[in-house]
Amino acid sequence: MENKTNTTDRIVQTVQQELTERYDVEEDIRELILSMQEYKSLPITTPNSEHEVSLVLEDVVLITKEKTLRNGEKIPVYELFGENGIKILETQDDGMMKFDKEIFDDLIKSKIKAIEDAGYEVAGVNTMDESGKIESFFELINGKVTAINKHQKERIDNAEDRASVMEDINGETSDPDIETSEISDNEQSMQNEQQVQEQMSKDLGFSIFQMTKVDDPIFRMNNPQTRGNDLYVVYTHSGEVQFVTGSDGHYETMEGFKNSGRASGRTTRILNDEDSLEDNEINTYGEIYPTNRDDIRYTIERGQYGEIKLVEQVRYEGNKMSETDKWISREVETSNTNYLDKNREGAENSKNITARTFNRSSTNTDANKYGSYNGKGGLSEVGKTMKNNKPTRTNMESLAADENQRYDEAKKMVVDAANKTGASLDPDTEAAIDKRVRDIVDYMNEPFTEDIAEQVLIEVKMQIAEQKRANTPKPPEEDDYEQEEGRSRLDEEFQRKMNKR
């Protein structure tokens, strides 16, 4: 498969764009990303007879969604992407698969021809209509996504004993070959959530408005008493936040938390290292505090579709703060966290700056108050950036205590700025960018931003152009004016941003 990082980034960008476009058009329809799974091979059709064989695709990525229709019904939706990050097919509201016709012609037809040349018929593809739909469906059977045909689908939908029919069909279908053993359990947790909430209300004696399961390693590190327990955060009808644990179907409030209240506020919330800190301001509701730490509290955010999300806040002590500026905040991973927003770098990864900053049990320089010896990183710089530079076109990578990590992220921002303009960087330009970025990161006492990246790109391009013009006739006066204008803008930006030692 193509570089996995690039492929994943391309898929994530496609899914995010489609979610935005659909939400703009159909505001009352909700789509929640449940999982993103790589497959070495995945059958997408199932034979109806012994003369047919399944159509199997290799090196693909399957996105699993939960879609809420206008009538409130929740249905699974699947999207399949190829090794180049291009969508191959998606399932419709009726469950039927629909191919991208161009992809089908380019990719699938040659595979079908090879199978037919070997003397077999390919199941399902002869049912394709003009829109690209075929009579094949994905069904979650025994914890795995399985392709079934129209006849099998009808048996499941009409069955009085659905479980036994699905078990029977499972023996008739081909198994997928999953790239890793990590399968999201969100599908199952979504099905059980209502039953859990009803039992909680009975056991706890207070009315639960909403709840979600907590599954976040940094939260567990900050609250070690929760390790080894199923944990839920609940938002009550009275506007308070509580943590609840359960075993064997019985639930009780989790020890180690105090002062649940109905406070409301506003904060800038961080998702992960790649998330831009721009336009991340949210409203928060309720509060609760750990008994073992006086610098942390937890509150609730209401998501795009009204679902609750858990927010972890660390106190920042700076000058002239409003109530909003007293905390730096991140989303704690729960069953309501959008898959695309999850922090997938790993809690113990030294390059995961979001995790290192919020892990209050750690002594590393990202987690302490003042960061590195040179004043870079740490709670103080993150808090100051959130307070003084809103909105901030930067991310947590540029707030690392380690200068090499800051440099790598700054260089990436400049390269991304070039890619957005469709420009390719030749070796001379890249070397000039490399040197300029290093100089800026070494001397600037604030995080590198996308605005600075764009200005660096302008500056370097001007320098390269000037070098190329050294042995050519002088350009028109207006071109000289444009170069000086760009240089002036860059100087003003750096004078404002840089504090040389």
Side-chain angles (χ1 to χ4, degrees):
M1 185 179 281
E2 177 188 337
N3 181 282
K4 287 187 177 181
T5 300
N6 293 339
T7 300
T8 300
D9 288 346
R10 193 174 298 121
I11 293 172
V12 167
Q13 289 172 5
T14 299
V15 174
Q16 286 176 328
Q17 181 179 347
E18 289 181 351
L19 283 175
T20 300
E21 291 173 351
R22 289 173 182 172
Y23 181 72
D24 288 342
V25 175
E26 302 173 294
E27 294 186 5
D28 55 345
I29 292 182
R30 164 186 173 179
E31 288 186 358
L32 179 66
I33 309 298
L34 297 180
S35 64
M36 181 174 178
Q37 180 66 58
E38 296 177 10
Y39 288 81
K40 294 179 182 178
S41 63
L42 180 67
I44 59 173
T45 65
T46 293
N48 277 303
S49 70
E50 61 183 17
H51 302 295
E52 295 181 330
V53 297
S54 298
L55 177 60
V56 180
L57 299 184
E58 292 82 23
D59 294 327
V60 291
V61 176
L62 185 70
I63 300 285
T64 302
K65 299 180 180 179
E66 181 187 70
K67 182 176 181 179
T68 303
L69 303 178
R70 288 189 175 91
N71 63 3
E73 180 186 0
K74 294 181 178 181
I75 62 171
V77 176
Y78 301 93
E79 296 182 353
L80 193 67
F81 292 79
E83 60 183 337
N84 54 4
I86 304 300
K87 186 188 292 187
I88 298 173
L89 65 83
E90 63 184 341
T91 59
Q92 306 298 289
D93 289 357
D94 59 5
M96 287 179 64
M97 296 182 191
K98 180 180 178 181
F99 277 93
D100 180 289
K101 291 284 287 183
E102 185 175 339
I103 297 297
F104 182 86
D105 291 339
D106 290 346
L107 173 67
I108 311 299
K109 275 191 173 180
S110 59
K111 182 181 287 288
I112 293 173
K113 185 177 186 305
I115 295 173
E116 291 176 341
D117 288 345
Y120 298 96
E121 295 180 13
V122 181
V125 296
N126 60 341
T127 66
M128 180 179 289
D129 64 18
E130 293 181 358
S131 71
K133 291 175 69 173
I134 65 172
E135 293 176 349
S136 188
F137 309 80
F138 281 132
E139 189 76 40
L140 189 65
I141 300 178
N142 286 352
K144 65 178 184 287
V145 177
T146 305
I148 60 174
N149 56 43
K150 181 181 179 181
H151 174 66
Q152 293 168 330
K153 175 70 171 172
E154 290 173 347
R155 285 176 59 196
I156 291 174
D157 290 345
N158 297 326
E160 293 184 5
D161 187 353
R162 181 182 173 91
S164 63
V165 171
M166 290 179 72
E167 186 66 34
D168 182 45
I169 289 174
N170 186 45
E172 304 171 358
T173 58
S174 301
D175 287 333
D177 188 1
I178 301 174
E179 184 71 22
T180 71
S181 59
E182 296 179 5
I183 303 176
S184 170
D185 64 351
N186 280 353
E187 293 92 339
Q188 297 299 326
S189 65
M190 294 295 289
Q191 294 173 8
N192 299 332
E193 187 174 289
Q194 186 61 39
Q195 293 176 331
V196 170
Q197 183 169 325
E198 291 173 358
Q199 186 61 45
M200 274 186 190
S201 294
K202 292 179 182 178
D203 291 345
L204 298 172
F206 53 75
S207 178
I208 297 173
F209 176 52
Q210 286 179 303
M211 53 153 283
T212 183
K213 191 172 184 179
V214 180
D215 185 18
D216 186 289
I218 302 304
F219 179 93
R220 302 282 190 177
M221 291 176 183
N222 288 335
N223 302 279
Q225 79 278 11
T226 67
R227 293 178 179 175
N229 296 291
D230 281 344
L231 186 70
Y232 303 83
V233 59
V234 304
Y235 188 50
T236 71
H237 275 99
S238 62
E240 295 183 351
V241 181
Q242 295 281 359
F243 287 107
V244 176
T245 186
S247 62
D248 299 326
H250 176 74
Y251 299 93
E252 59 186 8
T253 54
M254 185 74 214
E255 295 182 357
F257 298 94
K258 63 181 180 180
N259 299 338
S260 177
R262 293 180 289 181
S264 62
R266 190 163 177 79
T267 189
T268 301
R269 182 257 296 119
I270 300 163
L271 292 171
N272 51 56
D273 279 9
E274 297 299 318
D275 180 45
S276 176
L277 302 184
E278 182 182 26
D279 299 329
N280 269 8
E281 287 201 354
I282 59 166
N283 294 319
T284 60
Y285 308 90
E287 61 182 347
I288 192 169
Y289 297 78
T291 56
N292 65 329
R293 301 187 186 281
D294 59 6
D295 62 341
I296 296 179
R297 78 170 180 178
Y298 295 95
T299 184
I300 292 297
E301 170 196 356
R302 303 299 299 275
Q304 183 179 15
Y305 304 104
E307 73 279 16
I308 63 167
K309 298 189 176 187
L310 180 60
V311 176
E312 183 174 66
Q313 299 188 302
V314 179
R315 188 184 303 277
Y316 162 65
E317 297 176 359
N319 295 325
K320 298 180 180 179
M321 294 181 302
S322 67
E323 184 65 29
T324 302
D325 298 319
K326 286 184 179 180
W327 308 91
I328 63 170
S329 309
R330 76 175 181 102
E331 180 178 330
V332 177
E333 187 173 321
T334 70
S335 55
N336 280 345
T337 299
N338 192 313
Y339 182 85
L340 302 180
D341 293 335
K342 290 183 178 181
N343 191 330
R344 294 185 289 272
E345 287 185 281
E348 303 293 343
N349 187 341
S350 63
K351 294 186 177 181
N352 189 340
I353 308 307
T354 303
R356 286 168 63 89
T357 300
F358 282 86
N359 181 3
R360 310 314 297 157
S361 64
S362 174
T363 59
N364 67 62
T365 53
D366 294 291
N368 69 35
K369 184 173 181 179
Y370 297 108
S372 183
Y373 69 92
N374 57 12
K376 294 184 178 180
L379 187 65
S380 180
E381 186 183 23
V382 176
K384 184 174 66 174
T385 298
M386 297 291 204
K387 176 180 183 294
N388 295 338
N389 300 311
K390 296 182 290 190
T392 305
R393 297 179 68 202
T394 192
N395 57 35
M396 290 296 288
E397 293 280 2
S398 67
L399 289 160
D402 183 87
E403 285 194 347
N404 288 324
Q405 286 183 246
R406 294 169 83 109
Y407 162 72
D408 289 342
E409 182 58 26
K411 175 75 176 296
K412 180 177 179 294
M413 284 187 189
V414 181
V415 173
D416 288 345
N419 290 337
K420 288 177 183 177
T421 65
S424 58
L425 300 180
D426 58 71
D428 289 341
T429 303
E430 190 161 358
I433 288 173
D434 193 85
K435 182 178 184 306
R436 186 63 176 130
V437 166
R438 177 70 74 176
D439 289 341
I440 293 170
V441 171
D442 284 345
Y443 287 100
M444 190 170 69
N445 290 332
E446 293 185 12
F448 199 89
T449 68
E450 293 178 24
D451 299 298
I452 297 176
E454 291 165 1
Q455 294 298 325
V456 167
L457 188 62
I458 292 171
E459 179 194 59
V460 170
K461 284 184 175 181
M462 290 193 300
Q463 290 176 346
I464 298 295
E466 287 173 356
Q467 292 171 5
K468 290 181 178 179
R469 286 199 306 271
N471 297 320
T472 60
K474 185 179 179 180
E477 291 184 1
E478 57 267 31
D479 286 349
D480 284 339
Y481 174 79
E482 287 183 6
Q483 302 294 342
E484 294 301 325
E485 178 87 13
R487 206 177 285 111
S488 296
R489 291 199 308 271
L490 189 64
D491 288 342
E492 289 175 3
E493 179 73 14
F494 287 159
Q495 286 174 14
R496 185 175 69 85
K497 288 285 186 181
M498 294 177 62
N499 178 17
K500 296 189 176 181
R501 292 170 292 183

